[in-house]
Amino acid sequence: MSPFWSPLVTTLTPYVPGEQPKLTNLIKLNTNENPYGPSPQVLQAMQGELADTLRLYPDPNGDHLKATIADYHGVEKSQVFLGNGSDEVLAHAFAALLKHDAPLLFPDISYSFYPVYCGLYGIEYRQVPLDADFGINIDDYDQPCGAIIFPNPNAPTAKLLPIDTVEALLQRHPQQVVLVDEAYIDFGGLSAISLVNRYPNLLVVQTLSKSRSLAGLRVGFAVGHADLIEALERVKNSFNSYPLDKVALAGAAASFADEAYFQQTCQAIIATREHLSQVMARMGFEVLPSAANFIFARHADYDAAQLAAALRERSIIVRHFKQHRIDQFLRISIGTDKESAALIEALQELLPF
């Protein structure tokens, strides 16, 4: 602590990202990164921007990328907002749309950045407990609130809220913004973007980090009614008018052009996820149904922290959360088939059958 800190800094509890170890030869299944690289078209487009024109500022509005995303999702360009990763998009949404006199609602087991943003922006919030099966019950959200936010599929549980249930929640809260955080939607769900033209209170946030293999590029976006997007633009242009560089804008746009590659890698991850889930279930794990690129699992006879440590000794890193209710679960990112096989072999060594 320094006497030069502003009072706000002393009150913050920052978000702790997943470990990014510097060691080599690890099987890294702890941060939900895509095991497959980006499309060759993406790399080619990015390479094309490595020229003398980098001395110039990028397009502050990202008009080409906005138009690309709008065309892909069947909306207007005015309904698309861009940011430096979905975390920045979420940060602007907290400031622009989620701060009201009544509390913000979100699940008690959810993306741990949400309470961090509430602390940063001074937003009152209430965490709504997941049900006994670790699902979101929209009946529990029938209470006074200023806005609602939740991931779909949820993180870290990986469970999906069906699109018709999302719509029912929107119908129950026509006077509040409902933000659906769809970082993992491409691995097994239907996007709520299909609902934005019917519900002016809906904002959908997505990222290119997961399904489009661009975690290192930092590109996120939101889709919603033009009035919601205008609020985000006002905050963004009061913070950083140039959130995405030329290389990121080019690579992101190209990722939407190679649909075949996108579908191929998503389906490969889904297939590996289903196989791993089935094998671990046979080992005695309870594996929650996943629509994400990770699974959430626990074993009744083995401590999760000890399992994570034992896997680490075998150069396999998974994520263990110490939070109440889920401290016996492991979150395991889906890797390649080879990485999945190595994980299964390690678990077979650790768990006698």
Side-chain angles (χ1 to χ4, degrees):
M1 183 179 297
S2 166
F4 301 111
W5 287 9
S6 68
L8 170 66
V9 176
T10 63
T11 69
L12 297 178
T13 303
Y15 172 75
V16 179
E19 180 187 6
Q20 295 288 355
K22 302 299 188 292
L23 302 175
T24 57
N25 299 319
L26 290 176
I27 297 177
K28 189 170 175 293
L29 305 177
N30 67 320
T31 50
N32 299 343
E33 293 149 323
N34 197 311
Y36 306 105
S39 160
Q41 292 186 31
V42 170
L43 301 179
Q44 183 178 5
M46 292 168 62
Q47 193 71 36
E49 292 296 329
L50 300 180
D52 176 70
T53 51
L54 285 180
R55 62 188 173 79
L56 303 174
Y57 283 110
D59 176 5
N61 297 317
D63 284 330
H64 176 62
L65 178 55
K66 284 183 179 179
T68 300
I69 293 172
D71 289 345
Y72 187 87
H73 287 289
V75 297
E76 299 297 321
K77 190 176 73 170
S78 60
Q79 294 178 268
V80 179
F81 176 81
L82 305 175
N84 187 249
S86 62
D87 285 336
E88 184 181 80
V89 176
L90 290 170
H92 292 337
F94 270 74
L97 299 170
L98 305 185
K99 184 174 183 177
H100 299 281
D101 292 335
L104 171 66
L105 302 183
F106 53 82
D108 66 330
I109 299 170
S110 191
Y111 188 25
S112 55
F113 227 138
Y114 297 163
V116 173
Y117 285 140
C118 288
L120 179 62
Y121 293 117
I123 299 173
E124 180 187 356
Y125 67 92
R126 185 178 301 135
Q127 293 175 296
V128 181
L130 297 180
D131 64 24
D133 296 320
F134 299 98
I136 293 173
N137 185 339
I138 65 169
D139 292 342
D140 296 333
Y141 289 78
D142 287 344
Q143 56 180 290
C145 62
I148 296 171
I149 181 173
F150 62 94
N152 197 36
N154 195 17
T157 65
K159 295 191 72 171
L160 179 74
L161 197 65
I163 190 70
D164 58 342
T165 310
V166 174
E167 184 168 18
L169 181 67
L170 287 161
Q171 292 169 346
R172 294 185 186 192
H173 296 273
Q175 302 304 315
Q176 289 84 32
V177 170
V178 176
L179 194 160
V180 185
D181 184 357
E182 294 186 340
Y184 305 101
I185 196 66
D186 294 323
F187 299 108
L190 296 177
S191 174
I193 290 176
S194 62
L195 303 175
V196 295
N197 286 329
R198 300 207 300 275
Y199 298 93
N201 60 324
L202 170 62
L203 187 76
V204 181
V205 175
Q206 291 194 9
T207 177
L208 275 62
S209 295
K210 313 299 183 183
S211 58
R212 296 186 185 275
S213 310
L214 292 173
L217 209 59
R218 313 308 304 129
V219 179
F221 65 92
V223 179
H225 190 280
D227 289 347
L228 301 185
I229 301 304
E230 181 182 355
L232 296 176
E233 295 285 359
R234 288 173 66 87
V235 170
K236 169 247 183 183
N237 287 320
S238 300
F239 177 75
N240 177 12
S241 295
Y242 300 94
L244 295 178
D245 61 58
K246 287 175 175 286
V247 177
L249 288 168
S255 73
F256 288 93
D258 196 347
E259 182 69 10
Y261 184 87
F262 168 70
Q263 293 294 341
Q264 174 187 332
T265 53
C266 284
Q267 291 305 313
I269 289 168
I270 291 169
T272 304
R273 179 190 73 203
E274 295 308 301
H275 174 71
L276 178 62
S277 297
Q278 292 167 12
V279 173
M280 288 184 63
R282 291 197 294 269
M283 291 181 179
F285 282 92
E286 175 191 0
V287 184
L288 299 189
S290 173
N293 68 335
F294 59 90
I295 60 173
F296 206 50
R298 64 181 171 184
H299 199 292
D301 299 327
Y302 296 90
D303 179 75
Q306 293 179 1
L307 273 179
L311 287 171
R312 189 184 186 92
E313 291 177 357
R314 289 161 173 78
S315 299
I316 301 172
I317 301 180
V318 298
R319 187 86 183 262
H320 174 244
F321 294 87
K322 298 178 181 179
Q323 183 180 345
H324 175 62
R325 292 184 69 194
I326 59 170
D327 58 355
Q328 287 304 309
F329 279 89
L330 296 177
R331 193 193 70 187
I332 303 172
S333 304
I334 302 303
T336 62
D337 285 342
K338 182 178 180 180
E339 291 170 332
S340 179
L343 171 65
I344 291 169
E345 182 178 355
L347 288 173
Q348 288 172 337
E349 294 174 358
L350 293 167
L351 278 62
F353 301 102

